[in-house]
Every structure is written in structure tokens, then in C-alpha cells.
Amino acid sequence: MAQIYETDEEIERVLLIGVALDDNDEAESSLDELAELAKTAGAVTVGRLIQPREYFHPATYIGKGKLDEVRLMADELDATGIICDDELTPAQLRNLEDVLNLKIMDRTMVILDIFASRANTSEGKIQVEMAQLKYRMTRLSGLGTTLSRLGGGIGTRGPGEKKIETDRRLIRDRISRLNAQLKEIENHREIQRQKRSDSTIPVAAIVGYTNAGKSTLLNKLTNAGVLSEDKLFATLDPTTRVLKLPNTDKVLLTDTVGFIRKLPHNLIEAFKSTLEEAKYADIIIHVVDSVHPDMDRQIAAVYETLDELQVGDKPVITLFNKTDLAGNAETIKDMRAKCSMRVSAKTGEGIDEFLDELGKILRENRIHINRCFKYQDAGRIQLIREFGTLISEEYTQDGIEVEAYVPKEIYDKL
């Protein structure tokens, strides 16, 4: 009789380690976020440790005295791995593995793992693989002595490439091929952007910290059907939908990948074409989790990434989301935004006020006209209906009296 074997993947039990360079509060909140990342990646946090230091230890990230404490804690709690709250150098990675004899991971490794499990489109998968390869290539020297030996077998003996050199060459070749594929996708995305620009329909990019409720908002406004879960980085791939405002204006809404503190530089580079949806938008809709205890730092992290993408000149509407959970909280405001308001993407509270405000801001970039069109020119009014906002239309003896707001690009054609 055939024997049945269990194939369930063993759940990793991890210790979280952080270094407080300034104040403990920020290190604590950063470690709370790391615990959420570990949970999203499928691990269970069994303990945590923070060491106040003036600088990261160049060899072991934390001080050597703390290493003994970590080793004892790992034995007591039966931990199978360690996650450090900052990106480790190859030397730190190797030394920690040698001293602790445990699987060592850093924040970047965990984020990359989550991105790899979340990517669904070909573009998302290419972007994640590229970021992973760049991360691994810089750390080949930190993965122990095994990679410095010559490859085994016929044809590999004698002088020639060491295994580490072979691996580096293979990774460079793969990155080169992925770059070519990504370039094609970026060109396609640029064509899509150009078509949107030609259509004169304004574009609004939804940005925000991961798990702030961006996808929930997009679903509420447009019935987009995007995956919306209470998880970090639930969706990676950008989605664009048409939103019709109460004043009959149309706007293209684009959801973007969530931001996070200490977002790996390789991910910013790999996802640049996706993040640049914000750069080419006419307006930024910044969604904030208003009940998160670390809300202010999350707002700062979003603006830091937007500044890196050079999106500082766009008008911003900040939506303090999840008012259904906040209750009668005090009024909060984002000083960098054109306007701030409280909403609940889940229940719809405050959404009508937001849509009115969005319409007003979009109209600021449009020209107000009062004009009488002759009946033989009535076809031009269709341009207003399609691309502008038709406020009133009255048929008179002299022609059609029209009041409307139109984009600058359409104004010249009227």
C-alpha cells in the first residue's frame, strides 16, 4: 500500500532584530511594520530585539555582545531564522550566518519575497525578478565559500571561471534580457500615456502607503474589481479605470503600487515605469490610513518617494481614509496638499464631497466659455460633450447658446 507523505511547507519562526540610531519610538514602529511584512510573507514572529547604537556594526549589524543574547533567545524560542530591519551588506550577512548558524534575512529580502508572490502580470513579474537578481548579484560574495569553488564535472577542471564568476555572468545576462523585455513594455506604456494625453481626459493617480485603502477606493469609485485585502502590498500591478464625476466630467483613475519606509532602491528602479504613473498624472490622490498609529511617518515616506520621482509640482488631494474605524477623531490636515478630507472607501462616507472637490480642481485647468454657435457649427458642441463639461445649452434664433468648461486643447478647435 502506497504511503502518503505530508508536503505542507514548514512555517518559519523568526526573530526580528533592529538598531535604534536615534530614538527608540521609530525603531519600535519600524519593527512593528517588519512583523507585518514577515506575517505577509508567511512567517511567525516569535521574538524581537532592538539595540540602541550610534551606527550599524560594520561586521555584524548589531554589537557582538548582543549576538550572544540573540543566540540564546533563538534557542529558547525555537526560532528558525532572523530578520534584520535594515538592508545587510554581504559581509554582515555572511558573519551573522557564521555566528548564529541560522537563516539570516533582511527587510529587503522579505519585501522582494512578498512582491514575487503578488506579481500577476508579465510586467510585474519581470520587474520583481530584475530587482531580485540585482539584490542577489551584490551579495554573491556574502553567501559563503561554496560559490568561490570551481564548478564540478567534466569541462570545469583547471583554470577558468570560478562558480561565483559564472553565477555573476549568468545573472548579468539574465538582467540584460529582462531589461530588453522591460524596455518593450515601457514603450507600450508610453504609447498608452500618449493616447491618454491626446484624449484630453485628465488623469488622477492614486498613491499612498501600502494597505492605506487605495484599491478599495478604486473599487468604490469605478467597480474595478481589483483585489482588496487587509495585507501589505495586496496589489502590485497598476489598474486604470474611467470615473464619471457628478458634473459629467470624466477622469482616468490609476492605482499605483503602495509605498513603504525603507523601500529597496532596486525596487524603486524596477518599478519606475509603474510609479511614474504618478509623474504623468494631472492630479495626485493621496490615500492615508487615518487610524494607523504611525500615520505621520507614513505620510512622510510617501512624499519622500514622490519627491524622488520628481512629482512635487502636482496638485494633491489627501484623503484620510477609514473614518468608519476612527469615530469622532480630531480634524487632521496634510499641509502639502491642496485640500484634505476624511473619507471611508469601505462605507462611502465623504466620497461625494471628494468627487465635488476633484471636479473643482480639474476645472481650474479648464477654460470657461459662454458662446453662441451657429446651427451649421453644431457639431463642435459634441467636442464639448465628449471632452469638457457642458453646463447649459439653449436653442435661440441666432444659434445655440452654450456655457461650458473645456480643456485648453479643445478651446482652439471651437
Side-chain angles (χ1 to χ4, degrees):
M1 187 174 176
Q3 190 172 352
I4 298 174
Y5 294 93
E6 292 289 334
T7 58
D8 291 343
E9 190 175 333
E10 186 179 346
I11 296 174
E12 293 187 75
R13 296 168 57 83
V14 296
L15 283 179
L16 308 182
I17 300 177
V19 172
L21 298 177
D22 296 315
D23 57 83
N24 275 320
D25 289 342
E26 186 166 348
E28 284 286 355
S29 62
S30 186
L31 224 57
D32 289 341
E33 187 174 85
L34 185 63
E36 280 296 311
L37 287 167
K39 180 183 174 184
T40 304
V44 173
T45 299
V46 295
R48 53 197 287 167
L49 181 144
I50 294 175
Q51 182 183 27
R53 286 182 61 88
E54 291 183 4
Y55 56 88
F56 299 123
H57 194 290
T60 52
Y61 179 61
I62 55 174
K64 294 191 176 178
K66 279 288 178 185
L67 284 175
D68 294 331
E69 193 177 328
V70 170
R71 191 188 298 107
L72 287 172
M73 190 185 290
D75 288 341
E76 288 174 8
L77 300 172
D78 197 25
T80 59
I82 306 285
I83 303 179
C84 298
D85 194 33
D86 297 275
E87 192 166 311
L88 299 175
T89 66
Q92 288 169 335
L93 186 66
R94 181 180 64 246
N95 293 335
L96 284 172
E97 282 185 342
D98 289 344
V99 172
L100 298 174
N101 196 28
L102 284 169
K103 180 180 180 181
I104 306 298
M105 297 159 278
D106 60 17
R107 175 182 270 253
T108 300
M109 198 182 296
V110 176
I111 292 174
L112 286 171
D113 184 77
I114 294 169
F115 270 53
S117 66
R118 293 279 191 268
N120 292 316
T121 65
S122 59
E123 181 184 13
K125 289 174 182 176
I126 290 170
Q127 288 166 327
V128 171
E129 186 181 352
M130 181 115 77
Q132 285 179 321
L133 289 172
K134 286 179 178 177
Y135 174 83
R136 286 171 185 164
M137 187 164 71
T138 60
R139 279 154 183 76
L140 284 177
S141 59
L143 297 179
T145 57
T146 53
L147 293 178
S148 64
R149 298 191 216 113
L150 287 169
I154 297 171
T156 62
R157 299 183 183 92
E161 282 187 313
K162 292 181 179 180
K163 189 173 189 305
I164 190 170
E165 293 165 349
T166 305
D167 286 347
R168 277 190 181 134
R169 179 172 51 79
L170 290 172
I171 287 175
R172 278 195 297 268
D173 290 347
R174 179 62 180 161
I175 287 174
S176 179
R177 287 196 296 272
L178 291 175
N179 260 323
Q181 292 178 40
L182 205 54
K183 195 69 181 170
E184 286 182 23
I185 293 172
E186 286 174 6
N187 290 339
H188 179 65
R189 188 180 290 281
E190 193 58 44
I191 291 169
Q192 286 180 322
R193 286 193 189 117
Q194 191 59 50
K195 284 181 179 177
R196 289 182 209 155
S197 178
D198 293 342
S199 74
T200 74
I201 298 177
V203 178
I206 304 174
V207 305
Y209 211 78
T210 180
N211 206 30
K214 299 182 302 300
S215 298
T216 305
L217 178 67
L218 185 69
N219 288 339
K220 186 71 177 177
L221 295 173
T222 66
N223 297 316
V226 176
L227 175 66
S228 174
E229 292 182 347
D230 186 16
K231 287 182 179 178
L232 303 184
F233 302 115
T235 53
L236 292 186
D237 304 306
T239 304
T240 301
R241 294 289 185 272
V242 176
L243 169 65
K244 195 167 184 179
L245 298 174
N247 62 11
T248 73
D249 276 348
K250 288 180 183 176
V251 60
L252 290 173
L253 278 186
T254 299
D255 188 15
T256 61
V257 65
F259 301 158
I260 196 168
R261 274 181 296 180
K262 304 177 185 177
L263 186 65
H265 183 72
N266 283 336
L267 271 180
I268 294 178
E269 282 299 309
F271 278 79
K272 206 156 194 176
S273 64
T274 306
L275 292 168
E276 279 183 344
E277 290 294 338
K279 187 174 181 178
Y280 293 102
D282 299 289
I283 189 168
I284 305 293
I285 299 169
H286 178 194
V287 182
V288 177
D289 183 350
S290 65
V291 296
H292 198 284
D294 217 16
M295 178 184 71
D296 291 338
R297 288 198 182 101
Q298 291 188 351
I299 292 173
V302 170
Y303 278 121
E304 188 180 324
T305 308
L306 288 176
D307 289 341
E308 191 170 338
L309 293 167
Q310 299 176 336
V311 192
D313 59 332
K314 309 287 182 184
V316 177
I317 298 178
T318 296
L319 301 181
F320 289 95
N321 191 27
K322 305 185 182 179
T323 54
D324 53 309
L325 302 176
N328 295 321
E330 60 184 46
T331 303
I332 40 182
K333 193 171 183 180
D334 176 8
M335 300 307 293
R336 285 188 59 171
K338 192 174 182 70
C339 71
S340 307
M341 53 187 62
R342 299 172 64 85
V343 301
S344 171
K346 187 175 181 181
T347 66
E349 181 186 344
I351 294 295
D352 290 341
E353 292 82 355
F354 157 63
L355 293 176
D356 288 339
E357 193 63 38
L358 179 60
K360 287 177 188 174
I361 292 175
L362 290 173
R363 278 186 179 180
E364 289 177 5
N365 296 321
R366 298 188 166 203
I367 300 170
H368 180 251
I369 62 168
N370 268 306
R371 188 178 295 184
C372 181
F373 290 90
K374 293 181 179 179
Y375 285 104
Q376 59 262 37
D377 296 328
R380 295 181 186 178
I381 299 174
Q382 186 57 36
L383 280 175
I384 299 174
R385 288 196 183 96
E386 190 172 352
F387 300 113
T389 305
L390 188 62
I391 297 171
S392 66
E393 181 181 16
E394 186 180 347
Y395 290 79
T396 67
Q397 226 175 6
D398 300 324
I400 308 169
E401 294 280 353
V402 167
E403 182 184 3
Y405 284 93
V406 297
K408 294 171 185 175
E409 297 85 353
I410 297 300
Y411 181 76
D412 296 333
K413 299 177 182 177
L414 297 178

